[in-house]
Amino acid sequence: MNTKLFIGGLSCNTTQETLLAATTQYGETTECNVITDKFTGKSKGFGFVNFQTQESADAFLEGMNNQMLDGRSIKVDYATDKKDSDRGPRTNSFSSNRRY
């Protein structure tokens, strides 16, 4: 049972409160997060909502996918957990073969 949804395409003006308000007609949520830039505090364009029931999550996905929220068409899908191996190797921008 996956009740956590990914919401992409959010406006930079979207807050947790506005996203939470969009979920109220679909059911109770246990968590609602809009991912924000640590310097500006504005939305990075995506977030996550966790519903209490599978039925509520399904209803939100069906009702809000490709719909407008804060002037932007949003994409809703089931969230998946990323593992470190899914992210690929971390590299630094400087090559060890570079000569100065």
Side-chain angles (χ1 to χ4, degrees), residues 2 4 11 20 22-23 25 35 41 43 47 58 66 75 81 90:
N2 187 5
K4 187 173 187 177
S11 164
L20 188 59
T23 68
Q25 67 184 14
I35 307 306
S43 169
D58 292 340
N66 297 317
K75 173 73 174 148
D81 290 329
R90 288 190 159 211

Side-chain angles (χ1 to χ4, degrees), residues 5-96:
L5 299 176
F6 167 84
I7 297 89
L10 294 174
S11 164
C12 65
N13 297 320
T14 300
T15 64
Q16 286 182 191
E17 291 78 21
T18 56
L19 181 57
L20 188 59
T23 68
T24 57
Q25 67 184 14
Y26 297 98
E28 293 289 321
T29 60
T30 58
E31 183 179 17
C32 179
N33 290 315
V34 172
I35 307 306
T36 58
D37 181 89
K38 66 181 177 181
F39 298 110
T40 66
K42 294 214 178 206
S43 169
K44 284 190 164 188
F46 66 98
F48 299 94
V49 175
N50 200 348
F51 284 90
Q52 283 186 344
T53 66
Q54 186 67 50
E55 293 78 21
S56 297
D58 292 340
F60 185 81
L61 180 109
E62 290 290 319
M64 289 299 293
N65 191 33
N66 297 317
Q67 298 300 312
M68 300 295 280
L69 179 65
D70 287 339
R72 299 272 313 260
S73 177
I74 62 170
K75 173 73 174 148
V76 180
D77 203 353
Y78 292 102
T80 57
D81 290 329
K82 284 212 170 206
K83 299 176 188 111
D84 286 336
S85 60
D86 293 341
R87 296 179 189 184
R90 288 190 159 211
T91 60
N92 94 31
S93 61
F94 297 104
S95 171
S96 60

